[in-house]
Amino acid sequence: MTPDKPLRADARRNRARVLQAAEAAFSAEGMAVPLDEIARRAGVGTGTIYRHFPSKEALFEAVIHDRVGQFADEARTLSAAERPGEEFLAFLGRVIDQAMLNKALCDALEAAGSTVKPSDGVQRDVWEAFGALLGAAQRAGAVRADVDVSDLRALLSGALAMERHARDSDRPAGRLTGLLLDALLPRA
């Protein structure tokens, strides 16, 4: 398969099923999950996986890129929502919750400590989309005006670290994220 040649419809569907099955498998079992198990879950043969991804590591990286891209798409869509402030806070909470279930995704969003990092283009895209949603929420008066994308990136990284720490204590999951989200609300 050449990179310039578009995939047939059935090949696109197979690739999407493989990515979906791989995301679930990697999230639950980590890199130890065998490729034949991912193929079984996707309803394809292992040869289909190898036609799209030359190795398990390449599949793993594609899963992370795909998920980060989905976050960017969702943020762009929500920036045009009727209530962007509510959507921003709910979205940020979902991103944190989902990233906590997948260490590689968590590391990719933090852009630290992982061997799998989204490409510069994917990183730029996701933070531009997060910035657009943040800006819409700020224009709606629902989020502090003094927060920028750099702050958001640091806050997201901090929230992921706080939630990992909370899992090792007696704090309920999500409590620290709730405190962080409250801190983003405009001052009275």
Side-chain angles (χ1 to χ4, degrees), residues 55-156:
S55 66
K56 187 192 304 188
E57 291 74 20
L59 173 57
F60 186 70
E61 187 171 331
V63 165
I64 298 304
H65 283 216
D66 187 61
R67 191 65 190 109
V68 171
Q70 289 173 22
F71 284 146
D73 291 344
E74 185 178 357
R76 271 191 294 281
T77 299
L78 294 175
S79 66
E82 188 175 315
R83 299 170 117 154
E86 291 174 23
E87 296 291 354
F88 170 78
L89 295 170
F91 172 72
L92 195 56
R94 279 193 311 277
V95 168
I96 293 166
D97 286 345
Q98 290 177 20
M100 287 306 301
L101 299 175
N102 185 326
K103 181 166 181 359
L105 180 57
C106 188
D107 290 345
L109 286 170
E110 289 179 298
S114 175
T115 58
V116 177
K117 292 183 177 71
S119 67
D120 289 341
V122 171
Q123 280 283 355
R124 188 174 35 261
D125 187 44
V126 75
W127 291 110
E128 284 175 4
F130 277 35
L133 179 54
L134 172 63
Q138 289 170 321
R139 286 187 296 281
V143 173
R144 292 171 53 154
D146 62 338
V147 176
D148 64 18
V149 174
S150 294
D151 295 330
L152 183 58
R153 194 170 184 163
L155 289 168
L156 180 60

Side-chain angles (χ1 to χ4, degrees), residues 27 93-103 106 159-177:
S27 292
R94 279 193 311 277
V95 168
I96 293 166
D97 286 345
Q98 290 177 20
M100 287 306 301
L101 299 175
N102 185 326
K103 181 166 181 359
C106 188
L160 294 169
M162 289 185 316
E163 288 298 337
R164 279 195 297 265
H165 175 72
R167 287 183 179 205
D168 297 334
S169 70
D170 59 351
R171 298 279 186 207
R175 180 178 184 282
L176 296 174
T177 297

